[in-house]
Amino acid sequence: MAYQNIEVRTEAGKVGVVTLNRPKQLNALSNDLMDELGVALKAFDADDAIGCIILTGSEKAFAAGADIGAMASYSFADVYKGDYITRNWETIRSIRKPVIAAVSGFALGGGCELAMTCDFIIAADNARFGQPEIKLGIIPGAGGTQRLPRAVGKSKAMDMTLTARMMDAAEAERAGLVSRVVALDKLMDEALGAALTICDYSRISVLAAKESINRSFETGLSDGVMFERRLFHATFATEDQKEGMDAFVNKRKPQFRHR
Ligand code: CAA
């Protein structure tokens, strides 16, 4: 597929990189962009050579939110009948391989929500996060009121959503919204390093760990722990478990074969 709003490449033959590419609109997330993103993510997810995916933007903006120019004329009937957001923004939730958000510049509104839907966020020191929808007479609509409080707690989530103030990278790291902050010129190296590390582990363990952590957001503790226990038990059926433990016992590097 020829993409108009994103760029897609592979690094080291095993990391899929998707770069949001609407620079004039600070990567505002249009319907077409979200369609393309869904196609690209699904293609990487289905590609056996790919072990991890990085989603990134430009230095100035990861994404400045949903496309306000397009939304301005939408009516309730348009968004409800057209299943706005649900129709194509949530494809990322079905991606089983890890998706790392490498965020520099603005991650606002839908941009912050998209980053939070990724599995973890590595931020450049110029990153700024916010849910400024209230300034537009709307509220966050791509999961911000649900994922932000889970990430940073109620008080900061309320503060950011009700006042529309932005959080800088240092505050985002303190609050647990991002996992690491690095200098802007090191952002892609850092994200790629993390992705390559993940690629070298057993794909089965990686998928299972992601699935189990995501389950923690949907279930109570006892059921969540039982879900984890069953997956943990299942890993003992893999060749990779034998390889990983044999390699440790014999003081050598494991060679996982993802089976
Ligand atoms: N949609 C469409 N266009 C956008 C945009 C957006 N979300 N954000 C920025 N742009 C456009 C601007 O209109 C501008 O275009 P022109 O050059 O044609 O005028 C261009 O990008 C550059 O933007 P600015 O001139 O405003 O750049 P700045 O550096 O002065 O400010 C900014 C940057 C603070 C990010 C500012 O652009 C801004 O506040 N953007 C809107 C942020 C926002 O409200 N996001 C939430 C959107 S609603 C949403 O996301 C709903 C949801 O939950 C799904």
Side-chain angles (χ1 to χ4, degrees):
M1 177 171 177
Y3 298 111
Q4 310 297 320
N5 302 282
I6 59 173
E7 289 175 352
V8 173
R9 69 177 195 276
T10 301
E11 291 281 353
K14 46 190 170 184
V15 179
V17 181
V18 180
T19 305
L20 305 175
N21 186 33
R22 294 185 77 211
K24 288 193 185 127
Q25 294 84 12
L26 301 184
N27 293 333
L29 302 167
S30 63
N31 254 324
D32 287 348
L33 184 151
M34 296 311 290
D35 281 341
E36 291 182 10
L37 178 61
V39 171
L41 290 174
K42 277 176 144 172
F44 279 139
D45 211 32
D47 183 343
D48 209 37
I50 299 296
C52 190
I53 302 165
I54 296 173
L55 177 59
T56 194
S58 68
E59 287 190 4
K60 181 156 188 204
F62 176 74
D67 191 327
I68 302 168
M71 276 188 300
S73 63
Y74 288 172
S75 66
F76 167 76
D78 292 331
V79 293
Y80 187 69
K81 284 197 302 176
D83 211 12
Y84 182 50
I85 304 292
T86 316
R87 185 181 68 74
N88 53 0
W89 284 56
E90 300 201 322
T91 308
I92 189 168
R93 292 181 59 200
S94 69
I95 302 303
R96 298 182 71 209
K97 291 172 186 167
V99 183
I100 302 171
V103 173
S104 44
F106 295 109
L108 301 179
C112 186
E113 292 168 308
L114 180 61
M116 288 192 290
T117 314
C118 296
D119 297 311
F120 61 99
I121 303 173
I122 300 180
D125 51 13
N126 76 336
R128 301 186 75 189
F129 298 87
Q131 298 292 161
E133 288 89 342
I134 201 121
K135 287 161 75 174
L136 301 168
I138 57 171
I139 68 167
T145 65
Q146 305 304 302
R147 291 195 181 90
L148 191 60
R150 282 166 165 82
V152 305
K154 174 183 165 184
S155 192
K156 271 188 196 292
M158 285 284 189
D159 180 1
M160 289 172 67
T161 307
L162 296 177
T163 70
R165 86 168 171 88
M166 293 185 217
M167 211 185 243
D168 66 17
E171 184 180 2
E173 188 181 27
R174 280 200 306 278
L177 180 60
V178 311
S179 67
R180 322 177 186 184
V181 177
V182 296
L184 176 58
D185 63 349
K186 297 282 184 300
L187 178 64
M188 280 314 287
D189 287 348
E190 188 78 13
L192 195 55
L196 288 169
T197 298
I198 291 167
C199 286
D200 281 347
Y201 296 130
S202 164
R203 179 87 45 83
I204 296 171
S205 301
V206 166
L207 297 181
K210 169 171 171 165
E211 195 177 357
S212 195
I213 289 175
N214 280 337
R215 183 58 73 102
S216 75
F217 292 99
E218 311 288 346
T219 189
L221 185 60
S222 302
D223 285 347
V225 169
M226 188 51 71
F227 181 80
E228 176 201 84
R229 192 70 35 79
R230 294 296 172 241
L231 283 179
F232 168 74
H233 287 162
T235 60
F236 284 77
T238 66
E239 287 179 22
D240 286 342
Q241 174 265 335
K242 301 289 172 295
E243 170 64 10
M245 294 194 181
D246 184 75
F248 179 84
V249 168
N250 291 299
K251 303 189 186 310
R252 64 177 176 82
K253 194 176 180 310
Q255 294 292 330
F256 293 116
R257 299 165 77 182
H258 314 305
R259 53 194 196 202

